[in-house]
Amino acid sequence: MDPVPTRAERIAAVVAILAILLLLPAAALGSGIEVVVLLFVAFACGTIAKARVDLEALRTFGLRSVPDDDPAAERFRERRRRRDERLREAVPSEYDPRLDRLLAAGLAVVGVGALAAVATGVGDGGRTTVRLLVVALIGLNGALIAYAASYVNAGE
């Protein structure tokens, strides 16, 4: 895959960054629907950018179209190749399933803690109880998924 991000990916990254920057003021003003829309835009555009667009790519290419034989693109590919080689040498790439199991344990503690808070009556209000139940649901489901992933990836 070519390390040079396409123009569409770079535009999507800029839109995602703008949506994230607008998210805090929208949340501070109490705009519920605007926050949901901005989160959707940020996640959708971030997915399009696929983490291929970084600050270096934006500084190098901006939002312009870049042909394959552009000298700046060739220099960018060479820098990216050297950086990837240094990263492969510096960071071990072996998978440790114990980390997934540790994540599963942490998520289970959060989920059980939220259920315990509901059971003890910490969340006296209706909204607080619902929020605690949502936290418990997400925490316990995340724990199950992380635990399953540790066994699926252990054989690789």
Side-chain angles (χ1 to χ4, degrees):
M1 176 186 278
D2 189 14
V4 177
T6 64
R7 182 173 186 237
E9 289 173 333
R10 286 181 270 132
I11 290 173
V14 169
V15 170
I17 291 168
L18 289 175
I20 289 170
L21 290 176
L22 291 173
L23 189 63
L24 188 61
L29 293 174
S31 305
I33 191 70
E34 287 84 0
V35 169
V36 172
V37 169
L38 286 171
L39 278 172
F40 175 76
V41 168
F43 281 119
C45 290
T47 301
I48 292 170
K50 296 183 228 166
R52 285 176 22 108
V53 182
D54 55 0
L55 195 56
E56 179 188 6
L58 286 175
R59 276 195 325 254
T60 304
F61 305 115
L63 298 178
R64 66 182 172 88
S65 294
V66 180
D68 288 340
D69 59 347
D70 187 62
E74 293 298 325
R75 288 191 302 272
F76 182 81
R77 286 183 188 99
E78 183 60 31
R79 281 193 313 267
R80 183 63 59 105
R81 188 187 59 75
R82 284 194 311 262
R83 188 187 71 185
D84 289 347
E85 285 176 4
R86 284 193 310 263
L87 186 64
R88 275 189 219 103
E89 291 172 1
V91 177
S93 62
E94 57 225 26
Y95 173 75
D96 188 6
R98 291 179 297 173
L99 295 176
D100 279 343
R101 292 183 190 128
L102 184 64
L103 173 65
L107 288 170
V109 166
V110 169
V112 170
L115 286 177
V118 169
T120 58
V122 171
D124 291 334
R127 292 186 100 181
T128 307
T129 303
V130 170
R131 289 179 180 165
L132 285 171
L133 288 174
V134 168
V135 167
L137 177 74
I138 292 171
L140 292 174
N141 283 324
L144 288 172
I145 291 169
Y147 194 67
S150 72
Y151 279 102
V152 169
N153 294 326
E156 293 179 359

